[in-house]
Amino acid sequence: MNLSLIAIVLVGLVAALCGLVVANLKAQQRDVQAAWNRLDGLRRRGMEAVPAFVAAVSQDEAAAQRVASSPSVVHRALDDVAAASRASASAEDPHAAAAADDRLVQAIERVYAAAEVEPDFVASPASRKASAQLDAAMEALAHEQQIYNNVATIATNAQRSFPALLFAKRLGLSEPQRYESEAAARRAALDWTRGSLPSLADASPHVMNPQMLWASAMADAAIDDRTDDRRR
């Protein structure tokens, strides 16, 4: 009788343990999905800033082309950004999204590089605002990326542990994919407000021809002379 009772108790404990393991695995899968939904939402909100960036820089590029003597590569780089943005929007799982987002950031970096070597290109306030919005999106993405990868790692380790590994395959659970993107880490290169490109105010002295600069300098010198006379 005692042996039967002990056997029943043991079976009950094993069944309860198995139930806890299965419930824990399912809960972790839900946590991974919730973390990915938050991360993916931030990705897509960041991509909403891309069309405004492309439009603003396109206007600046068109203005530069009116005074430039040679074709600009900025326009082709903007086409690459638009194509990469569409690829990022169509990516659904973390692995594909990370690869697509990296390509998008690289395309945006090419726009910055092309604009910075274009002598007649000047970043307008609209371009700088769109640039700052991209930077803010990358900053938010960096934080959420770390949270998601931590949750995914915990779930992966749980599935590989005993006895959870006995149930994971039977439940049809696959190990969560990590979001291994360098996009957020490279955000420092994606902000014109950091002063990497001349603004309209910075560029305005370069618009003046040498005669205007000479006249301005002479006027300043005359003002300084009058100021010295008053002091005497």
Side-chain angles (χ1 to χ4, degrees):
M1 180 66 179
N2 290 336
L3 291 177
S4 299
L5 181 60
I6 292 173
I8 292 173
V9 171
L10 289 176
V11 170
L13 289 175
V14 171
L17 177 61
C18 292
L20 288 174
V21 170
V22 171
N24 184 55
L25 287 173
K26 291 182 177 180
Q28 288 179 341
Q29 287 293 112
R30 290 193 296 270
D31 291 342
V32 170
Q33 186 60 50
W36 170 245
N37 289 341
R38 291 192 298 270
L39 177 60
D40 192 43
L42 284 177
R43 287 180 59 250
R44 296 182 184 281
R45 281 194 291 275
M47 281 184 280
E48 292 175 358
V50 174
F53 174 81
V54 171
V57 177
S58 294
Q59 291 183 354
D60 295 344
E61 188 267 345
Q65 284 298 93
R66 285 197 290 269
V67 297
S69 58
S70 59
S72 172
V73 296
V74 176
H75 185 74
R76 291 195 297 272
L78 289 171
D79 289 341
D80 292 341
V81 170
S85 179
R86 290 191 294 270
S88 290
S90 63
E92 297 181 355
D93 62 81
H95 180 74
D101 292 350
D102 283 344
R103 288 193 294 271
L104 174 58
V105 170
Q106 290 166 8
I108 295 173
E109 286 179 340
R110 287 194 293 273
V111 172
Y112 281 69
E116 289 178 358
V117 299
E118 170 58 48
D120 297 304
F121 186 93
V122 177
S124 65
S127 291
R128 290 178 178 272
K129 180 180 178 181
S131 174
Q133 290 175 340
L134 286 174
D135 178 70
M138 291 296 148
E139 184 177 12
L141 187 62
H143 177 68
E144 201 63 42
Q145 174 179 351
Q146 183 177 2
I147 293 176
Y148 169 77
N149 283 336
N150 289 341
V151 174
T153 299
I154 291 172
T156 297
N157 293 338
Q159 290 184 22
R160 293 177 179 178
S161 64
F162 184 85
L165 58 87
L166 301 177
F167 299 94
K169 290 186 177 180
R170 286 187 172 86
L171 293 172
L173 301 179
S174 58
E175 293 185 0
Q177 297 178 356
R178 289 172 59 87
Y179 178 78
E180 299 289 359
S181 172
E182 297 181 359
R186 300 168 71 165
R187 57 177 286 264
L190 301 182
D191 188 5
W192 275 339
T193 62
R194 299 177 191 273
S196 62
L197 194 73
S199 65
L200 289 172
D202 298 329
S204 59
H206 304 292
V207 177
M208 302 174 70
N209 57 39
Q211 291 78 13
M212 294 173 66
L213 291 173
W214 177 83
S216 176
M218 293 299 294
D220 291 341
I223 292 172
D224 291 341
D225 290 341
R226 287 195 296 271
T227 302
D228 291 339
D229 291 340
R230 292 194 199 97
R231 289 174 180 173
R232 286 197 292 267

